[in-house]
Amino acid sequence: MPRYFFHLYNDVEARDEEGVEMPNIGAARMAALQDARFTIAETIKAEGCFVGDHRIDIEDGEGNVLESIRFKDAVKVRG
Amino acid sequence: MIEKLLSKLRRFDTVSAEEEESLRAAVWKTVDFRRGQTIVRAKTELDHSDLLLEGFVNRSKSLVSGARLVLQLAVPGDFIDLHSFVLKELDHDIEAVSDCRLALFKHEQLRVVIEQHPHLGRLLWLSTVVDAGIHREWMLSLGRRSAESRLAHLFCELQVRLTAADMAPHGKYKLPLNQVEIADVLGLTAVHTNRVLQKLRQEGLLTFKSKNVEVLDWDGLVALAEFDPFYLSMNQQPR
C-alpha cells in the first residue's frame, strides 16, 4: 500500500514525518477530510475560531502534493 | 529477570527475600513477541499471566468501524494481565507495540505464591488497583483535559513510570509508538496529535522525534497537565 503524508497548515504548521499507509488516494482524501473536521472542531472548542484558509496537504513519498483540503471545503455552514 | 517488577513492588512496600524468591521461582517461561503481535486476545481462556520484561505493550478496545482507543500503555515491570488470574478471560486485547519479552506465570503457581505469601499477594493486588487508578486518570484526560493538557499528562506519567523502571535518565526516554498509536491513546487524530506535539515544542516543553521523548521544561509540562503522581501510589508504606 502507498504511504501518504498529511501536513497540517493552520496556526501551527505540523509536518507529517511518518505518513500512513492507505489503499489509494480516495482513502487518503476521506481520511484528510475527517482529520480537517476534527481539528476544526477542536480549534473551535479551544479558541472559538474557524479559519477557512487553513488546510491539510496530502503528499506522496516523493514530496508531491496530491491534494489540498481547505478547511472551508471540509464543512457546510448553514444559517 | 524480574528485577523491574521487584523494584516496582518495592515502591509500594518492602519485599522480603523470601517473597522475592517465591516470585522468582514462580516464572514458568519467557516468550518473545514482535511489534504488532497480539499477546492476549479478548474472550480467550487464559491459564497464565504475563509480566512485561522488555518493550512496550498496549491494551485497547475497538468499535466495528475500526475506531480504536488505547486504554493503557504498559512498561517493563508491569504485570500486564495479572487480572486474568481472576477474570480468566479479558475483555480487551493486549498488543506488542515494540518487540518485547514476557515472563509467564501459571495461574496455579500464582495461587501458591499468594497463599504462601499473603503480603506479596496484597502487593500484587495493589498493582492492579494502581492500574485502575491510571484508568481513572486517563478518563479524566479523555473527558475533561484539553488536547494539549492530555498529551502533556501522558508524557508526564510515562516519565514517572519509566523513571521507576530506570528507563528515563535525564528526562529522556524512548517511546516506540507511531503517531496513529499516540492518537489512539489520546482520542485524537494523528494530524491533530502532530499539531499538539508541534505546539508543545514551540512552547519549549518537550520534543518527540524519531520515537525519542525529551522533556525540556518539566515544571511547565506538569503545570499544563495538572499532573500529580499521587494516583501511582509510589510511596512505601505497610500494605
Side-chain angles (χ1 to χ4, degrees):
Chain A
M1 279 200 288
R3 186 168 284 271
Y4 298 95
F5 297 78
F6 300 85
H7 305 300
L8 174 69
Y9 298 90
N10 71 341
D11 55 330
V12 176
E13 191 180 311
R15 301 271 309 169
D16 176 1
E17 310 286 347
E18 286 179 16
V20 183
E21 286 187 347
M22 302 237 161
N24 52 49
I25 183 64
R29 188 185 304 121
M30 288 303 295
L33 192 60
Q34 293 302 323
D35 288 339
R37 288 171 180 167
F38 190 97
T39 292
I40 289 166
E42 286 289 312
T43 310
I44 289 174
K45 280 194 287 179
E47 293 156 31
C49 162
F50 168 76
V51 183
D53 288 336
H54 288 171
R55 66 182 203 277
I56 293 173
D57 283 356
I58 307 172
E59 277 183 16
D60 63 15
E62 276 80 57
N64 304 306
V65 179
L66 305 175
E67 297 233 7
S68 196
I69 308 285
R70 289 199 177 270
F71 282 13
K72 65 179 151 207
D73 300 324
V75 292
K76 293 190 189 88
V77 181
R78 295 202 187 93
Chain B
M1 182 199 299
I2 61 167
E3 272 60 37
K4 286 189 164 58
L5 170 66
L6 288 166
S7 84
K8 175 176 169 174
L9 296 180
R10 286 190 166 115
R11 282 177 187 265
F12 298 148
D13 193 359
T14 53
V15 175
S16 72
E18 224 182 12
E19 289 172 328
E20 177 178 335
E21 186 42 44
S22 76
L23 259 184
R24 286 188 192 283
V27 175
W28 170 37
K29 61 179 179 183
T30 61
V31 179
D32 291 340
F33 283 86
R34 307 289 295 174
R35 171 178 162 78
Q37 279 189 297
T38 299
I39 298 168
V40 180
R41 198 170 291 287
K43 300 183 183 174
T44 305
E45 204 174 332
L46 299 165
D47 65 354
H48 63 273
S49 291
D50 306 271
L51 167 66
L52 185 59
L53 300 177
E54 291 167 28
F56 285 73
V57 308
N58 71 31
R59 62 182 88 252
S60 71
K61 294 185 89 154
S62 302
L63 297 173
V64 174
S65 66
R68 183 179 82 137
L69 190 66
V70 170
L71 306 162
Q72 196 179 19
L73 289 170
V75 304
D78 288 344
F79 227 134
I80 56 177
D81 63 345
L82 189 54
H83 51 319
S84 78
F85 175 56
V86 280
L87 284 174
K88 302 304 173 194
E89 297 169 43
L90 298 189
D91 56 284
H92 54 270
D93 295 329
I94 300 182
E95 183 188 312
V97 290
S98 68
D99 292 350
C100 53
R101 173 160 292 175
L102 301 155
L104 276 47
F105 294 71
K106 285 273 197 190
H107 288 161
E108 55 195 89
Q109 195 59 39
L110 280 175
R111 176 192 294 276
V112 172
V113 168
I114 64 175
E115 284 178 358
Q116 288 179 349
H117 303 279
H119 171 255
L120 181 56
R122 291 197 297 278
L123 293 188
L124 292 172
W125 177 15
L126 176 57
S127 75
T128 67
V129 170
V130 168
D131 282 343
I134 293 173
H135 285 315
R136 286 191 288 276
E137 197 63 38
W138 283 33
M139 285 169 75
L140 179 62
S141 277
L142 289 165
R144 288 292 180 249
R145 281 191 174 93
S146 69
E148 282 85 3
S149 171
R150 206 181 303 169
L151 183 73
H153 193 278
L154 174 70
F155 284 109
C156 287
E157 179 187 297
L158 284 172
Q159 174 154 337
V160 169
R161 290 171 60 202
L162 287 168
T163 300
D166 291 325
M167 292 172 63
H170 315 298
K172 291 183 191 175
Y173 56 91
K174 194 109 192 150
L175 184 63
L177 270 63
N178 64 32
Q179 57 191 16
V180 173
E181 290 165 333
I182 295 178
D184 284 347
V185 168
L186 300 172
L188 304 172
T189 60
V191 166
H192 205 73
T193 300
N194 268 339
R195 179 186 183 277
V196 174
L197 278 167
Q198 195 61 30
K199 210 164 174 201
L200 297 197
R201 199 167 83 125
Q202 281 178 5
E203 287 164 11
L205 297 172
L206 64 84
T207 60
F208 178 59
K209 200 143 183 79
S210 310
K211 321 265 192 225
N212 289 298
V213 179
E214 182 173 2
V215 175
L216 305 172
D217 176 2
W218 173 253
D219 292 343
L221 201 63
V222 165
L224 174 60
E226 295 187 46
F227 177 72
D228 176 357
F230 180 80
Y231 69 101
L232 297 171
S233 296
M234 287 180 174
N235 56 326
Q236 227 194 37
Q237 57 176 289
R239 309 277 184 176

